[in-house]
Amino acid sequence: MVTSDKKTDPVKFAAFESIDAASSSLVDLSKDIWDHPESGFREHRTASITANYLRELGLETRENIAITGVVGKIDTGREGPHVAVWGELDSLIVPEHRNSDPETGAAHVCGHNIQIGNMLAAAAGLSNSEVLRDLSGSISFMAVPAEEYIEIEYRETLRESGELEFLAGKQEFVKLGELDDVDISLLTHASPTESRTLRPGVSHNGMIAKTVRFIGRSAHAGGQPHLGINALNAANLAMQGIALLRETFQDDDHVRIHPIITRGGAAVSSVPANVTMEMFIRAATVEAIKDAEQKVDRALKGAAMTIEAEVEISTSPGYMPSIFYPPLCELYDESVIDLLGEEATGRMPHRTSSTDMGDISMIMPAMQSYVGGASGRTHSDEFEITDWELDVVEAGKALASTVIDLLANDAAKATEIIDNFDAPLSIKEYLETLRGFRRSERWAGA
Ligand SMILES: [Zn+2]
């Protein structure tokens, strides 16, 4: 396929030729990762395939960053900005999916496997020497662990043993200093729409996580319930309290609070004395998350007080809100129009889900695009990739073409974007904010 852009821009033409030459191996690699899903911080096989591919392209490649992360770097030899192209290594766990791992239940139902494919496609295009001689600065390909915020108990064990401080891959990358000299970030995520579109996202909710334990007193549930303290009743009341706070949230803050009860009691004939819950508190801004959190804590304590139970509340940092940088998205649109036409562009409106790409968007200009070519609900048994060529090859070309636009002409465009970007947080402030969310308290009424 020859586009008008290839005819007019020899540098992009060379990059696209390299990607086309590698296209079947890139699709095969993406299908192989689809067939061998691994959840966060366990992606050893996926990481090793990714590292091998980057090494074969001739990139200086480091492994085992934040346990399974991989970074391959190209230095043009000329000074200039440092652009990161990201791909997420991890799968979800949905045992009902037809392609789930029979032992672990892992399944690629968020399509992160195609992210690795399109990141490597961009690497194949940009490592071409005919391309590099026109660019300044450097480019890193960052295959990052654990975007999905799951298996919290397992990750807490990694935290307790000192292997991690945070429970997500990009946060660990920031803490380890991997982003200290990176200026711009790009990522392309799958989206379950079968249209041939590549649409940058606008924003996402951020979130924090809480684990809660109500402690009561056991007693015979039929004979002497008056001697017990019913921890399940306290949890029920807390859920009611949280639900009744809904009208105090502002529409624009997109607050979402979704608790579950993870242990509701031990035996039906005994008053439940030990009941546990988990919940995410999500909102579009850090202020709105903090506001909602205070209200949730009050509902938990109020419920404990009513029932005379005690409550333990442990709070963990989740993800920062995402705000993707419009001028960077607009630059990406130009490449998409050249590759697939005007009808392939657009915007993914605000999403109430969360991603640690939000953390990156707090500290540098960042873009997360959504590529069509998938079907079914994400995170469900139905999710399938339907257009591998679009998700891997065309999405990779759009990334490579955007990096060329950023770093050609002495990196004039990248420099303009970096100069105009007003970072919501410095890396130091970001890490302090994240750490500030972590606390535990036990409340016995007062
Ligand atoms: Zn995802």
Side-chain angles (χ1 to χ4, degrees):
M1 192 171 81
V2 175
T3 68
S4 58
D5 184 63
K6 287 183 201 172
K7 283 179 199 153
T8 53
D9 184 336
V11 179
K12 289 187 181 178
F13 184 78
F16 295 164
E17 270 196 328
S18 293
I19 296 173
D20 282 332
S23 61
S24 62
S25 70
L26 288 161
V27 168
D28 287 350
L29 179 147
S30 308
K31 288 181 174 171
D32 182 54
I33 298 174
W34 169 266
D35 284 336
H36 298 90
E38 297 170 305
S39 60
F41 297 118
R42 305 180 196 261
E43 316 94 325
H44 298 285
R45 184 183 183 280
T46 313
S48 131
I49 290 173
T50 307
N52 288 343
Y53 197 95
L54 289 167
R55 280 206 188 91
E56 277 169 28
L57 290 173
L59 272 64
E60 174 200 322
T61 302
R62 292 177 294 124
E63 291 181 72
N64 307 319
I65 304 164
I67 302 180
T68 50
V70 177
V71 176
K73 190 172 180 186
I74 302 176
D75 198 331
T76 63
R78 279 170 294 280
E79 272 191 35
H82 184 180
V83 178
V85 178
W86 294 81
E88 294 159 351
L89 293 160
D90 62 322
S91 75
L92 271 145
I93 298 178
V94 176
E96 301 78 24
H97 193 272
R98 67 165 183 89
N99 212 42
S100 65
D101 183 295
E103 272 171 35
T104 64
H108 265 298
V109 290
C110 203
H112 293 186
N113 59 308
I114 65 99
Q115 291 182 30
I116 298 296
N118 61 49
M119 179 195 76
L120 293 175
L126 292 165
S127 55
N128 179 330
S129 57
E130 279 178 63
V131 176
L132 285 179
R133 68 176 178 227
D134 259 62
L135 307 184
S136 300
S138 49
I139 311 155
S140 281
F141 300 90
M142 297 194 156
V144 67
E147 186 276 333
E148 304 291 352
Y149 202 98
I150 59 171
E151 296 188 284
I152 296 170
E153 261 184 75
Y154 164 65
R155 293 185 195 179
E156 287 289 352
T157 65
L158 297 174
R159 200 172 76 83
E160 278 150 26
S161 68
E163 286 182 78
L164 297 175
E165 177 182 352
F166 301 113
L167 306 190
K170 295 191 193 70
Q171 304 179 333
E172 281 292 296
F173 267 45
V174 177
K175 183 204 71 183
L176 293 169
E178 292 293 330
L179 281 293
D180 286 358
D181 67 344
V182 174
D183 300 296
I184 292 175
S185 281
L186 305 168
L187 181 145
T188 310
H189 196 291
S191 165
T193 155
E194 292 189 64
S195 58
R196 284 175 66 80
T197 48
L198 286 157
R199 296 183 294 162
V202 173
S203 51
H204 274 265
N205 271 2
M207 58 86 131
I208 57 172
K210 279 184 189 287
T211 54
V212 176
R213 188 159 81 101
F214 283 102
I215 302 139
R217 185 167 64 218
S218 55
H220 194 299
Q224 296 180 307
H226 59 285
L227 298 180
I229 294 177
N230 193 320
L232 182 61
N233 285 352
N236 267 312
L237 198 53
M239 301 241 272
Q240 290 298 310
I242 291 165
L244 293 173
L245 285 164
R246 187 181 312 244
E247 69 184 11
T248 71
F249 300 129
Q250 301 286 311
D251 291 351
D252 290 345
D253 289 336
H254 302 286
V255 176
R256 296 281 189 281
I257 304 168
H258 40 100
I260 57 169
I261 291 181
T262 47
R263 179 189 164 100
V268 69
S269 58
S270 185
V271 170
N274 179 20
V275 169
T276 56
M277 300 167 71
E278 282 179 15
M279 70 187 77
F280 283 173
I281 299 171
R282 306 185 195 250
T285 65
V286 171
E287 295 69 44
I289 293 172
K290 286 182 175 168
D291 175 71
E293 184 196 9
Q294 274 186 11
K295 291 171 179 170
V296 165
D297 283 357
R298 276 208 313 269
L300 295 168
K301 290 172 184 171
M305 179 190 268
T306 304
I307 306 293
E308 274 194 294
E310 290 180 36
V311 63
E312 282 175 1
I313 308 170
S314 298
T315 308
S316 309
Y319 297 152
M320 299 296 280
S322 308
I323 305 167
F324 299 119
Y325 190 49
L328 186 57
C329 300
E330 286 153 21
L331 183 73
Y332 175 84
D333 288 340
E334 292 174 21
S335 291
V336 174
I337 292 166
D338 281 340
L339 283 161
L340 298 173
E342 191 85 45
E343 62 281 8
T345 60
R347 286 290 173 275
M348 185 67 88
H350 179 79
R351 307 190 95 186
T352 49
S353 54
S354 314
T355 167
D356 60 1
M357 202 57 187
D359 296 57
I360 304 301
S361 78
M362 289 289 116
I363 57 176
M364 70 180 72
M367 181 209 71
Q368 175 157 314
S369 174
Y370 290 88
V371 57
S375 68
R377 300 179 308 277
T378 40
H379 295 206
S380 86
D381 60 329
E382 281 186 352
F383 185 82
E384 298 287 340
I385 301 294
T386 54
D387 188 342
W388 293 86
E389 193 257 343
L390 174 70
D391 287 0
V392 175
V393 181
E394 297 301 327
K397 286 180 184 174
L399 288 167
S401 169
T402 305
V403 174
I404 291 169
D405 286 336
L406 286 165
L407 297 182
N409 304 316
D410 297 324
K413 194 70 200 177
T415 307
E416 180 194 318
I417 283 176
I418 296 160
D419 287 350
N420 289 333
F421 180 74
D422 193 8
L425 297 170
S426 68
I427 287 182
K428 185 166 170 279
E429 289 165 341
Y430 157 72
L431 289 170
E432 280 168 8
T433 305
L434 215 52
R435 287 175 179 136
F437 278 118
R438 183 173 284 287
R439 67 183 153 272
S440 290
E441 65 175 310
R442 183 170 171 134
W443 196 82

